[in-house]
Amino acid sequence: MQEWLKDLASEMTVDNLPESYQDIAQIIGIEATLQLSEYLGGMRFYFRKIDGLLMDKRDERIRKEFNGSNHVALARHYGLTETRIRDILARKRPTQCGLFEE
């Protein structure tokens, strides 16, 4: 981060930021928000919800734990229906998408 921007960040409050940045600044801090803005400024990006990432990891574990006949046990363990387990097993492993993909 440029030195002048660091100095400016130390003088700012969350209320000085545009409304769209205020929630972010409350979570990661003003300086980190300004760094993020400097890095991503003008770029479009998608920040995937964490539950989607967790679902992908869960589905990966289900595929790994599947032994060819334990559909019901997996459904009970993960709180899913047997049909949902079969759907997960039928789908190919999803490709990873980058944090800053357009």
Side-chain angles (χ1 to χ4, degrees), residues 36 39-40 43-47 97-102:
L36 189 61
Y39 181 74
L40 295 174
M43 294 173 44
R44 286 182 25 190
F45 69 96
Y46 173 71
F47 199 88
C97 55
L99 180 62
F100 305 113
E101 284 186 357
E102 290 190 85

PDB file of all heavy atoms in Angstrom, residues 36 39-40 43-47 97-102:
ATOM      1  N   LEU A  36      -7.739  -3.333  -0.465  1.00  0.00           N
ATOM      2  CA  LEU A  36      -8.574  -4.133  -1.355  1.00  0.00           C
ATOM      3  C   LEU A  36      -9.104  -3.278  -2.496  1.00  0.00           C
ATOM      4  O   LEU A  36      -9.089  -3.688  -3.661  1.00  0.00           O
ATOM      5  CB  LEU A  36      -9.727  -4.753  -0.562  1.00  0.00           C
ATOM      6  CG  LEU A  36     -10.583  -5.792  -1.245  1.00  0.00           C
ATOM      7  CD1 LEU A  36      -9.756  -7.004  -1.650  1.00  0.00           C
ATOM      8  CD2 LEU A  36     -11.723  -6.223  -0.325  1.00  0.00           C
ATOM      9  N   TYR A  39      -6.304  -2.562  -4.917  1.00  0.00           N
ATOM     10  CA  TYR A  39      -5.959  -3.743  -5.703  1.00  0.00           C
ATOM     11  C   TYR A  39      -7.037  -4.072  -6.742  1.00  0.00           C
ATOM     12  O   TYR A  39      -6.737  -4.384  -7.884  1.00  0.00           O
ATOM     13  CB  TYR A  39      -5.737  -4.935  -4.783  1.00  0.00           C
ATOM     14  CG  TYR A  39      -5.354  -6.189  -5.511  1.00  0.00           C
ATOM     15  CD1 TYR A  39      -4.084  -6.348  -6.040  1.00  0.00           C
ATOM     16  CD2 TYR A  39      -6.274  -7.209  -5.688  1.00  0.00           C
ATOM     17  CE1 TYR A  39      -3.731  -7.492  -6.727  1.00  0.00           C
ATOM     18  CE2 TYR A  39      -5.931  -8.359  -6.371  1.00  0.00           C
ATOM     19  CZ  TYR A  39      -4.659  -8.502  -6.882  1.00  0.00           C
ATOM     20  OH  TYR A  39      -4.324  -9.640  -7.565  1.00  0.00           O
ATOM     21  N   LEU A  40      -8.313  -4.007  -6.323  1.00  0.00           N
ATOM     22  CA  LEU A  40      -9.412  -4.414  -7.197  1.00  0.00           C
ATOM     23  C   LEU A  40     -10.092  -3.250  -7.893  1.00  0.00           C
ATOM     24  O   LEU A  40     -11.010  -3.472  -8.678  1.00  0.00           O
ATOM     25  CB  LEU A  40     -10.468  -5.171  -6.389  1.00  0.00           C
ATOM     26  CG  LEU A  40     -10.054  -6.497  -5.799  1.00  0.00           C
ATOM     27  CD1 LEU A  40     -11.156  -7.051  -4.922  1.00  0.00           C
ATOM     28  CD2 LEU A  40      -9.705  -7.476  -6.899  1.00  0.00           C
ATOM     29  N   MET A  43     -12.262  -3.314 -11.139  1.00  0.00           N
ATOM     30  CA  MET A  43     -12.444  -4.691 -11.622  1.00  0.00           C
ATOM     31  C   MET A  43     -13.752  -5.264 -11.101  1.00  0.00           C
ATOM     32  O   MET A  43     -14.179  -4.953  -9.998  1.00  0.00           O
ATOM     33  CB  MET A  43     -11.290  -5.581 -11.144  1.00  0.00           C
ATOM     34  CG  MET A  43      -9.960  -5.227 -11.740  1.00  0.00           C
ATOM     35  SD  MET A  43      -8.556  -6.139 -11.019  1.00  0.00           S
ATOM     36  CE  MET A  43      -9.127  -7.802 -10.898  1.00  0.00           C
ATOM     37  N   ARG A  44     -14.358  -6.110 -11.896  1.00  0.00           N
ATOM     38  CA  ARG A  44     -15.526  -6.858 -11.429  1.00  0.00           C
ATOM     39  C   ARG A  44     -15.025  -8.161 -10.842  1.00  0.00           C
ATOM     40  O   ARG A  44     -14.132  -8.794 -11.388  1.00  0.00           O
ATOM     41  CB  ARG A  44     -16.459  -7.181 -12.584  1.00  0.00           C
ATOM     42  CG  ARG A  44     -17.236  -6.012 -13.075  1.00  0.00           C
ATOM     43  CD  ARG A  44     -18.185  -6.389 -14.179  1.00  0.00           C
ATOM     44  NE  ARG A  44     -18.564  -7.798 -14.137  1.00  0.00           N
ATOM     45  CZ  ARG A  44     -19.219  -8.419 -15.081  1.00  0.00           C
ATOM     46  NH1 ARG A  44     -19.573  -7.784 -16.146  1.00  0.00           N
ATOM     47  NH2 ARG A  44     -19.526  -9.691 -14.983  1.00  0.00           N
ATOM     48  N   PHE A  45     -15.573  -8.555  -9.724  1.00  0.00           N
ATOM     49  CA  PHE A  45     -15.208  -9.843  -9.155  1.00  0.00           C
ATOM     50  C   PHE A  45     -16.401 -10.440  -8.438  1.00  0.00           C
ATOM     51  O   PHE A  45     -17.344  -9.741  -8.098  1.00  0.00           O
ATOM     52  CB  PHE A  45     -14.000  -9.735  -8.222  1.00  0.00           C
ATOM     53  CG  PHE A  45     -14.280  -8.992  -6.942  1.00  0.00           C
ATOM     54  CD1 PHE A  45     -14.595  -9.700  -5.789  1.00  0.00           C
ATOM     55  CD2 PHE A  45     -14.229  -7.612  -6.883  1.00  0.00           C
ATOM     56  CE1 PHE A  45     -14.865  -9.028  -4.609  1.00  0.00           C
ATOM     57  CE2 PHE A  45     -14.497  -6.937  -5.711  1.00  0.00           C
ATOM     58  CZ  PHE A  45     -14.817  -7.648  -4.570  1.00  0.00           C
ATOM     59  N   TYR A  46     -16.347 -11.744  -8.252  1.00  0.00           N
ATOM     60  CA  TYR A  46     -17.407 -12.484  -7.586  1.00  0.00           C
ATOM     61  C   TYR A  46     -16.834 -13.085  -6.324  1.00  0.00           C
ATOM     62  O   TYR A  46     -15.826 -13.770  -6.360  1.00  0.00           O
ATOM     63  CB  TYR A  46     -17.909 -13.585  -8.528  1.00  0.00           C
ATOM     64  CG  TYR A  46     -18.897 -14.531  -7.904  1.00  0.00           C
ATOM     65  CD1 TYR A  46     -20.179 -14.125  -7.597  1.00  0.00           C
ATOM     66  CD2 TYR A  46     -18.533 -15.840  -7.625  1.00  0.00           C
ATOM     67  CE1 TYR A  46     -21.087 -15.001  -7.036  1.00  0.00           C
ATOM     68  CE2 TYR A  46     -19.432 -16.723  -7.061  1.00  0.00           C
ATOM     69  CZ  TYR A  46     -20.719 -16.293  -6.770  1.00  0.00           C
ATOM     70  OH  TYR A  46     -21.601 -17.163  -6.212  1.00  0.00           O
ATOM     71  N   PHE A  47     -17.450 -12.802  -5.212  1.00  0.00           N
ATOM     72  CA  PHE A  47     -17.017 -13.356  -3.937  1.00  0.00           C
ATOM     73  C   PHE A  47     -18.062 -14.373  -3.527  1.00  0.00           C
ATOM     74  O   PHE A  47     -19.153 -14.032  -3.081  1.00  0.00           O
ATOM     75  CB  PHE A  47     -16.912 -12.230  -2.892  1.00  0.00           C
ATOM     76  CG  PHE A  47     -16.071 -12.587  -1.716  1.00  0.00           C
ATOM     77  CD1 PHE A  47     -14.708 -12.371  -1.736  1.00  0.00           C
ATOM     78  CD2 PHE A  47     -16.638 -13.152  -0.585  1.00  0.00           C
ATOM     79  CE1 PHE A  47     -13.916 -12.697  -0.652  1.00  0.00           C
ATOM     80  CE2 PHE A  47     -15.857 -13.489   0.503  1.00  0.00           C
ATOM     81  CZ  PHE A  47     -14.496 -13.259   0.471  1.00  0.00           C
ATOM     82  N   CYS A  97     -13.172 -22.369  -8.978  1.00  0.00           N
ATOM     83  CA  CYS A  97     -13.211 -21.064  -9.612  1.00  0.00           C
ATOM     84  C   CYS A  97     -12.465 -20.077  -8.745  1.00  0.00           C
ATOM     85  O   CYS A  97     -12.486 -20.170  -7.530  1.00  0.00           O
ATOM     86  CB  CYS A  97     -14.638 -20.597  -9.865  1.00  0.00           C
ATOM     87  SG  CYS A  97     -15.690 -20.566  -8.429  1.00  0.00           S
ATOM     88  N   GLY A  98     -11.782 -19.188  -9.397  1.00  0.00           N
ATOM     89  CA  GLY A  98     -10.975 -18.213  -8.695  1.00  0.00           C
ATOM     90  C   GLY A  98     -11.809 -17.150  -8.012  1.00  0.00           C
ATOM     91  O   GLY A  98     -12.937 -16.875  -8.408  1.00  0.00           O
ATOM     92  N   LEU A  99     -11.254 -16.568  -7.011  1.00  0.00           N
ATOM     93  CA  LEU A  99     -11.923 -15.538  -6.244  1.00  0.00           C
ATOM     94  C   LEU A  99     -12.226 -14.309  -7.094  1.00  0.00           C
ATOM     95  O   LEU A  99     -13.218 -13.650  -6.898  1.00  0.00           O
ATOM     96  CB  LEU A  99     -11.038 -15.147  -5.048  1.00  0.00           C
ATOM     97  CG  LEU A  99     -11.548 -14.075  -4.113  1.00  0.00           C
ATOM     98  CD1 LEU A  99     -12.833 -14.536  -3.451  1.00  0.00           C
ATOM     99  CD2 LEU A  99     -10.501 -13.769  -3.053  1.00  0.00           C
ATOM    100  N   PHE A 100     -11.384 -14.014  -8.066  1.00  0.00           N
ATOM    101  CA  PHE A 100     -11.528 -12.779  -8.828  1.00  0.00           C
ATOM    102  C   PHE A 100     -11.949 -13.016 -10.271  1.00  0.00           C
ATOM    103  O   PHE A 100     -11.708 -12.199 -11.131  1.00  0.00           O
ATOM    104  CB  PHE A 100     -10.225 -11.974  -8.785  1.00  0.00           C
ATOM    105  CG  PHE A 100      -9.784 -11.704  -7.389  1.00  0.00           C
ATOM    106  CD1 PHE A 100      -8.636 -12.278  -6.896  1.00  0.00           C
ATOM    107  CD2 PHE A 100     -10.531 -10.907  -6.549  1.00  0.00           C
ATOM    108  CE1 PHE A 100      -8.233 -12.053  -5.601  1.00  0.00           C
ATOM    109  CE2 PHE A 100     -10.138 -10.663  -5.251  1.00  0.00           C
ATOM    110  CZ  PHE A 100      -8.989 -11.239  -4.772  1.00  0.00           C
ATOM    111  N   GLU A 101     -12.597 -14.135 -10.545  1.00  0.00           N
ATOM    112  CA  GLU A 101     -13.021 -14.408 -11.910  1.00  0.00           C
ATOM    113  C   GLU A 101     -14.174 -13.497 -12.306  1.00  0.00           C
ATOM    114  O   GLU A 101     -14.982 -13.118 -11.489  1.00  0.00           O
ATOM    115  CB  GLU A 101     -13.497 -15.862 -12.048  1.00  0.00           C
ATOM    116  CG  GLU A 101     -12.357 -16.832 -12.085  1.00  0.00           C
ATOM    117  CD  GLU A 101     -12.850 -18.233 -12.359  1.00  0.00           C
ATOM    118  OE1 GLU A 101     -14.056 -18.442 -12.464  1.00  0.00           O
ATOM    119  OE2 GLU A 101     -12.007 -19.122 -12.458  1.00  0.00           O
ATOM    120  N   GLU A 102     -14.222 -13.199 -13.572  1.00  0.00           N
ATOM    121  CA  GLU A 102     -15.327 -12.383 -14.084  1.00  0.00           C
ATOM    122  C   GLU A 102     -16.440 -13.286 -14.533  1.00  0.00           C
ATOM    123  O   GLU A 102     -16.256 -14.378 -14.939  1.00  0.00           O
ATOM    124  CB  GLU A 102     -14.867 -11.518 -15.258  1.00  0.00           C
ATOM    125  CG  GLU A 102     -13.941 -10.426 -14.812  1.00  0.00           C
ATOM    126  CD  GLU A 102     -13.671  -9.430 -15.915  1.00  0.00           C
ATOM    127  OE1 GLU A 102     -14.478  -8.511 -16.054  1.00  0.00           O
ATOM    128  OE2 GLU A 102     -12.698  -9.621 -16.635  1.00  0.00           O
TER     129      GLU A 102
END
